[in-house]
């Protein structure tokens, strides 16, 4: 019996092998133009039949000789396509919501752009190896006109979440698979950005997969970046290291911000999912902060930034770049040299906003730890000569003990002695030379 919900392929507890056998007969009868020889009155779901007809009109053959989807992206252009898709800001949350399920159920988490190009394919290693045989790999095109009926291409074609099981796929080469996909829309503009999909072996099919991807697609709508009228992503760039007044490049103009607006922009850039007025008041003023004060500042800031500042929650729209986020990324990669190159000074050094102070300390600690772990004395010396590291006595002592008698470290040695005197007076660490 077909499922009661027209968008799912199988009910919970369904006899999957029996459903698979029936669908293969239905598929053969539909594409051969012959009736089912068993005499069973079975037909594809209406959404599948409509997709089969569209795929057939597009020239997709059920038994194509290659059995593989079209490869439309060269490996070198994949990163560029990912960056331009507007989906990358939502990827961490999609992984959080769906990654564990994908691993446990032997499924793949797949994200496509609006054309059906596969941008990310992640999950169970053995399933990925099987998927490579049918070109379920980044860079392949899985739109209906390119790959026939499949959950990703069909969800994009009809703008609705849908599950496809076994021989509901048009191409015979993917009859051993099941997939559930939901389109991704920017929640502010309604623009379709791509789709998110869970794909796995047919014997792992379950209706809950469709509910999961639909809920995940809904959850990340506010993180998806819409394209501008010329098809390019709206981007903005923040510079806030070593200065008290951040600047923000909106593409058509450069804005120098007040100290309070600098705090707000940095905090919003650091919280890509956005902040409520209550949360922002806490980050700006601590426990005594009032949401009404935060809202007033945000209202003034929005007059400067226009549509680059979204509300409910408050967040920066577009693809956000920032000098301190560049440093965070290099620290995350363990790239000590790159982190130092990007680290032009403390984050908003005179800001006393609790949220900014925490970010500043975290950035200092991250760069310091990455440099020390590198074991590179040259990088450690560069850290100690930087504004953030110049008074780092433990790191000074570490370098001087690694390089005893090095004349190039004489100035640092004298500085260490001065810091040591101050430390002894405070009952802390000291350097004996």
């Amino acid at each position: 019996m077909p499922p009661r919900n027209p968008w799912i392929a199988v009910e919970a507890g369904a006899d999957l092998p029996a459903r698979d056998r029936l669908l293969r007969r239905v598929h053969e009868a539909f594409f051969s133009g012959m009736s089912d020889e068993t005499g069973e009155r079975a037909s594809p779901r209406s959404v599948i039949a409509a997709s089969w007809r569209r795929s057939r009109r597009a020239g997709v053959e059920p038994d194509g000789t290659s059995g593989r989807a079209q490869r439309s992206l060269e490996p070198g252009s994949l990163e560029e396509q990912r960056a331009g898709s507007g989906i990358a800001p939502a990827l961490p949350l999609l992984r959080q919501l769906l990654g564990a399920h994908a691993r446990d159920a032997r499924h793949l988490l797949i994200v496509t752009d609006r054309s059906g190009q596969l941008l990310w394919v992640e999950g169970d290693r053995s399933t990925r190896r099987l998927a490579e045989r049918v070109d379920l790999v980044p860079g392949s095109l899985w739109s209906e006109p390119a790959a026939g009926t499949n959950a990703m291409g069909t969800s994009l074609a009809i703008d609705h979440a849908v599950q496809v099981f076994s021989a509901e796929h048009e191409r015979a080469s993917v009859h051993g698979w099941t997939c559930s996909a939901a389109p991704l829309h920017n929640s502010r503009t309604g623009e379709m950005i791509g789709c998110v999909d869970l794909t796995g072996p047919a014997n792992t099919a379950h209706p809950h997969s469709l509910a999961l991807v639909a809920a995940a697609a809904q959850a990340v709508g506010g993180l998806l970046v819409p394209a501008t009228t010329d098809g390019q992503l709206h981007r903005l760039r923040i510079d806030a290291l070593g200065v008290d007044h951040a600047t923000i490049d909106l593409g058509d103009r450069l804005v120098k911000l007040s100290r309070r607006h600098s705090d707000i922009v940095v905090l919003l850039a650091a919280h890509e999912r956005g902040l409520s007025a209550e949360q922002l008041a806490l980050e700006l003023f601590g426990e005594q902060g009032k949401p009404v004060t935060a809202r007033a500042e945000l209202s003034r800031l929005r007059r400067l930034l226009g549509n680059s500042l979204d509300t409910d929650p408050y967040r920066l729209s577009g693809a956000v770049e920032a000098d301190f986020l560049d440093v965070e990324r290099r620290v995350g990669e363990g790239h000590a040299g790159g982190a130092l190159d990007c680290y032009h000074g403390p984050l908003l050094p005179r800001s006393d906003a609790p949220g900014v102070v925490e970010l500043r300390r975290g950035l200092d600690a991250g760069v310091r730890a990455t440099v020390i772990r590198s074991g590179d004395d040259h990088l450690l010396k560069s850290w100690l000569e930087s504004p953030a590291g110049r008074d780092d006595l433990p790191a000074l002592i570490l370098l001087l003990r690694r390089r005893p008698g090095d004349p190039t470290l004489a100035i640092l040695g004298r500085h260490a002695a001065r810091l040591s005197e101050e430390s002894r007076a405070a009952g802390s660490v000291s350097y004996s030379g």
Side-chain angles (χ1 to χ4, degrees):
M1 174 180 288
R4 290 184 294 273
N5 182 335
W7 305 108
I8 65 173
V10 294
E11 296 281 10
D15 185 339
L16 297 182
R19 183 75 179 150
D20 173 71
R21 290 192 296 271
L22 175 60
L23 287 172
R24 288 174 186 267
R25 291 197 299 269
V26 170
H27 181 278
E28 183 178 3
F30 185 95
F31 285 101
S32 68
M34 300 171 60
S35 61
D36 186 349
E37 295 178 358
T38 67
E40 293 187 57
R41 295 180 61 81
S43 60
R45 289 181 289 152
S46 59
V47 64
I48 297 299
S51 176
W52 282 354
R53 288 191 289 269
R54 288 192 301 269
S55 301
R56 190 160 55 181
R57 286 196 298 270
V60 180
E61 295 293 335
D63 298 304
T65 54
S66 71
R68 299 172 72 85
Q70 297 179 16
R71 180 68 67 89
S72 60
L73 281 182
E74 294 299 324
S77 63
L78 179 60
E79 289 303 321
E80 181 180 345
Q81 193 75 3
R82 285 172 170 170
S85 68
I87 300 172
L91 198 61
L93 183 55
L94 287 173
R95 288 171 175 149
Q96 179 182 332
L97 294 173
L98 299 174
H101 172 84
R103 289 189 298 271
D104 294 344
R106 294 189 295 125
H107 281 184
L108 301 178
L109 168 59
I110 301 177
V111 181
T112 83
D113 66 10
R114 73 189 75 198
S115 72
Q117 287 174 338
L118 275 56
L119 301 181
W120 290 275
V121 179
E122 303 175 353
D124 180 74
R125 185 177 301 175
S126 61
T127 306
R128 287 205 313 270
R129 286 197 294 266
L130 291 173
E132 290 171 0
R133 300 176 185 176
V134 291
D135 232 20
L136 275 166
V137 294
S140 293
L141 183 62
W142 280 76
S143 63
E144 276 190 348
T149 302
N150 70 91
M152 295 171 287
T154 301
S155 71
L156 292 169
I158 64 176
D159 196 11
H160 198 286
V162 65
Q163 184 178 47
V164 178
F165 170 70
S166 177
E168 289 183 326
H169 293 94
E170 185 195 357
R171 292 187 301 129
S173 60
V174 285
H175 283 184
W177 294 86
T178 184
C179 48
S180 302
L184 295 167
H185 295 93
N186 174 270
S187 59
R188 184 166 60 90
T189 66
E191 178 185 354
M192 185 191 293
I193 306 295
C195 83
V196 59
D197 170 270
L198 286 172
T199 285
N203 61 4
T204 65
H206 196 285
H208 289 174
S209 297
L210 186 62
L212 284 171
V213 294
Q218 179 74 20
V220 302
L223 301 177
L224 300 168
V225 181
T228 59
T229 53
D230 61 0
Q232 299 298 311
L233 290 181
H234 172 63
R235 297 180 182 276
L236 53 86
R237 171 80 189 182
I238 302 162
D239 289 306
L241 291 178
V243 296
D244 295 315
H245 296 265
T247 57
I248 182 167
D249 186 348
L250 299 172
D252 59 343
R253 56 199 169 94
L254 188 68
V255 179
K256 185 175 182 178
L257 301 171
S258 69
R259 287 181 60 181
R260 183 57 71 202
H261 286 168
S262 297
D263 291 338
I264 293 172
V265 163
V266 163
L267 289 166
L268 293 180
H271 295 81
E272 62 181 7
R273 296 179 64 180
L275 295 169
S276 66
E278 291 76 11
Q279 290 170 321
L280 193 56
L282 189 64
E283 297 280 348
L284 287 171
F285 309 113
E287 295 292 343
Q288 305 306 313
K290 294 180 172 56
V292 65
T293 307
R295 289 191 188 96
E297 291 288 357
L298 286 158
S299 179
R300 288 188 281 270
L301 180 59
R302 199 165 198 277
R303 287 198 288 271
L304 288 174
L305 302 186
N307 291 335
S308 294
L309 178 61
D310 281 344
T311 59
D312 194 27
Y314 294 101
R315 59 182 295 270
L316 297 172
S317 65
V320 179
E321 300 174 354
D323 52 3
F324 72 94
L325 295 179
D326 293 340
V327 176
E328 280 189 352
R329 186 175 64 255
R330 295 305 183 102
V331 167
E333 295 168 349
H335 191 337
L340 277 175
D341 288 343
C342 296
Y343 199 36
H344 307 305
L347 176 65
L348 299 180
R350 290 201 295 163
S351 173
D352 59 1
V356 174
V357 171
E358 183 178 353
L359 288 171
R360 184 168 62 235
R361 289 174 177 169
L363 209 59
D364 284 350
V367 173
R368 179 184 188 274
T370 305
V371 168
I372 290 176
R373 279 197 301 268
S374 74
D376 188 317
D377 289 351
H378 175 73
L379 293 179
L380 185 54
K381 182 173 181 288
S382 296
W383 162 251
L384 292 167
E385 291 171 342
S386 73
R390 66 181 310 273
D391 293 333
D392 185 352
L393 182 56
L396 264 169
I397 294 172
L398 175 64
L399 180 62
L400 292 170
R401 286 177 176 170
R402 283 181 182 173
R403 306 268 293 275
D406 187 335
T408 65
L409 301 181
I411 294 176
L412 288 177
R414 289 194 294 272
H415 186 52
R418 285 195 298 272
L419 290 177
S420 184
E421 290 176 9
E422 296 170 4
S423 297
R424 277 196 296 270
S428 184
V429 66
S430 63
Y431 171 63
S432 61

